[in-house]
Amino acid sequence: GAGTSSGYIQNVNVLSSTGAGNLYFGQKVESANSASLNGKSVTISFVIAHDYGSNLNVFIVLDKPTLKDNFGALANIGTSPAKVATSGAYTKISQTFTLSASDATYGLDVKVYFSVPAGMTSKNFYAGDIQLEEGSIATPFEQRPIGLELSLCQRYYSTGNLAFLNQTNAVASVGGNTRYPMTMRSTPTITL
């Protein structure tokens, strides 16, 4: 990600395509992190690049779940007008949306997508420094310390060993406990 301030970028390589379509990059924002944005303006900004050979249109879509933190059914808040992504260059793009008094109550779903033509072969698409923030100005990309990022990730996924308190050989019955490094986002499922 030499064109990003974070140094990281998501890359999708399209080996070949027969039809035209859309190529999406996205992020889901849980209700605990979005509810405070109700009734406010929010700005989505990102850096995007591609090597298609000519300029492509890029769009930003902001949706909301219809049930709390359930991103299976979404309602549209807004879609940006077409933005131009120059071929062979990193382009910073932003869009501001105004939320209603309840738009962010159940979470937010951010999507950035390229409108791609048919007949591509071995083309790359990149997105990085995607940021959603309160207000109407796209500020520089926020870079958090790696320890903070790790602790935020550990709310969703953790690995480790169970400390077995008792075990019976009869019917595959196991009892035990474990400590997670962070409070989990929801009741965890365990895979042995």
Side-chain angles (χ1 to χ4, degrees), residues 165-188:
L165 297 177
N166 59 48
Q167 178 175 344
T168 62
N169 292 327
V171 182
S173 170
V174 176
N177 68 359
T178 189
R179 287 199 174 118
Y180 295 98
M182 297 299 299
T183 301
M184 301 301 285
R185 171 190 162 270
S186 62
T187 303

Side-chain angles (χ1 to χ4, degrees), residues 30 36 87 123 134 154 160 172:
E30 295 178 323
S36 65
S87 183
K123 300 298 177 189
E134 185 179 336
Q154 288 173 329

Side-chain angles (χ1 to χ4, degrees), residues 18 22 33 37 48 55 70 103 112 129 137-138 149 162 170-171:
T18 54
N22 297 322
N33 296 316
L37 299 172
I48 204 153
N55 295 346
N70 181 344
D103 276 343
V112 173
D129 291 356
I137 297 172
E149 286 297 326
L162 286 174
V171 182

Side-chain angles (χ1 to χ4, degrees), residues 31-49:
S31 60
N33 296 316
S34 66
S36 65
L37 299 172
N38 279 326
K40 299 178 181 175
S41 292
V42 295
T43 298
I44 299 166
S45 60
F46 54 92
V47 174
I48 204 153

Side-chain angles (χ1 to χ4, degrees), residues 39-139:
K40 299 178 181 175
S41 292
V42 295
T43 298
I44 299 166
S45 60
F46 54 92
V47 174
I48 204 153
H50 64 89
D51 62 2
Y52 179 68
S54 61
N55 295 346
L56 292 175
N57 287 331
V58 177
F59 298 87
I60 303 129
V61 177
L62 184 60
D63 291 329
K64 61 183 178 182
T66 56
L67 297 170
K68 185 176 180 180
D69 297 327
N70 181 344
F71 295 90
L74 300 171
N76 184 256
I77 295 171
T79 301
S80 73
K83 311 277 186 172
V84 177
T86 305
S87 183
Y90 285 89
T91 306
K92 182 162 182 156
I93 294 176
S94 66
Q95 178 68 40
T96 299
F97 296 92
T98 300
L99 302 179
S100 76
S102 63
D103 276 343
T105 300
Y106 292 156
L108 293 171
D109 186 75
V110 177
K111 292 184 193 78
V112 173
Y113 75 89
F114 284 99
S115 179
V116 294
M120 289 188 300
T121 303
S122 295
K123 300 298 177 189
N124 291 286
F125 297 86
Y126 307 93
D129 291 356
I130 298 175
Q131 181 166 269
L132 171 93
E133 58 190 319
E134 185 179 336
S136 59
I137 297 172
T139 63

